[in-house]
Amino acid sequence: RQPVYTTSKARWKRYEAHLGPLQEAMMTVPPMPEPAALPVAEPGQFGEGMAHMKAQRWAEAEVCFLKVIASYPQHAAAYQFLGGALLQQGQAHKAVRAMRQSVKLLPVHPSWWENLAKAEHVAGNQEDAKKAWGRGQVLRQRQAATARQQGLPTQAVQHET
């Protein structure tokens, strides 16, 4: 048996004349990028929003979740609960937009899809409501199957909030 590289030891020399620019580029170290500033957010806004939700203070919850989203635009849960607060205030179309953003950012929670389905229904979007509900049911079934495979109780999976 012959080693892989013994017959091609000097083949790179044919390209030696063309390697200069590559070697120069590899010797140059690019400057480090400036770090982006961390978002400035009041601490505890999400938790405060959740406390307002629990106490059914929907407008106060909305304000808290909007502050979270302003600082962290990828905060999927803030969009979901903002949608819930808006829906409770009778603003179904705004609620749908917020909830759609939440499932776009994090599409793994069956209850979020079910909440979106309810909001779509209230907003009069029956076809979208059926699709969202179906997606939630598929995710719920997958979670239950995974729980069964792992020997976990499926009730814990089905009662996610």
Side-chain angles (χ1 to χ4, degrees), residues 101-114:
Q101 183 64 21
S102 74
V103 296
K104 179 180 177 186
L105 292 169
L106 192 62
V108 297
H109 295 292
S111 60
W112 288 13
W113 286 98
E114 292 162 358

Side-chain angles (χ1 to χ4, degrees), residues 40 54 66 102 126 131 136 153:
V40 179
K54 189 172 183 179
L66 285 171
S102 74
Q126 303 312 316
K131 289 176 188 174

Side-chain angles (χ1 to χ4, degrees), residues 4-148:
V4 175
Y5 295 108
T6 56
T7 59
S8 61
K9 283 183 180 178
R11 289 190 180 172
W12 67 272
K13 290 189 179 205
R14 316 182 214 185
Y15 306 103
E16 186 173 21
H18 306 288
L19 292 177
L22 176 62
Q23 289 172 332
E24 287 175 27
M26 292 177 68
M27 290 179 150
T28 305
V29 177
M32 292 295 292
E34 289 293 321
L38 292 173
V40 179
E42 296 176 44
Q45 281 299 302
F46 184 80
E48 190 176 322
M50 294 303 293
H52 288 306
M53 290 286 285
K54 189 172 183 179
Q56 298 182 357
R57 293 187 298 265
W58 314 120
E60 292 89 343
E62 175 188 358
V63 170
C64 291
F65 295 130
L66 285 171
K67 287 180 183 179
V68 172
I69 291 167
S71 297
Y72 303 100
Q74 301 298 310
H75 199 298
Y79 280 105
Q80 178 65 206
F81 292 107
L82 170 62
L86 291 167
L87 190 61
Q88 292 297 327
Q89 295 177 74
Q91 300 178 44
H93 294 287
K94 286 184 179 180
V96 165
R97 281 195 299 274
M99 289 181 177
R100 283 180 182 171
Q101 183 64 21
S102 74
V103 296
K104 179 180 177 186
L105 292 169
L106 192 62
V108 297
H109 295 292
S111 60
W112 288 13
W113 286 98
E114 292 162 358
N115 292 341
L116 173 59
K118 292 170 189 171
E120 295 277 14
H121 177 75
V122 171
N125 306 329
Q126 303 312 316
E127 285 303 312
D128 290 333
K130 287 178 186 176
K131 289 176 188 174
W133 185 262
R135 181 73 185 268
Q137 296 307 300
V138 167
L139 288 171
R140 211 168 272 296
Q141 290 168 359
R142 284 184 192 160
Q143 285 182 350
T146 301
R148 280 192 301 276

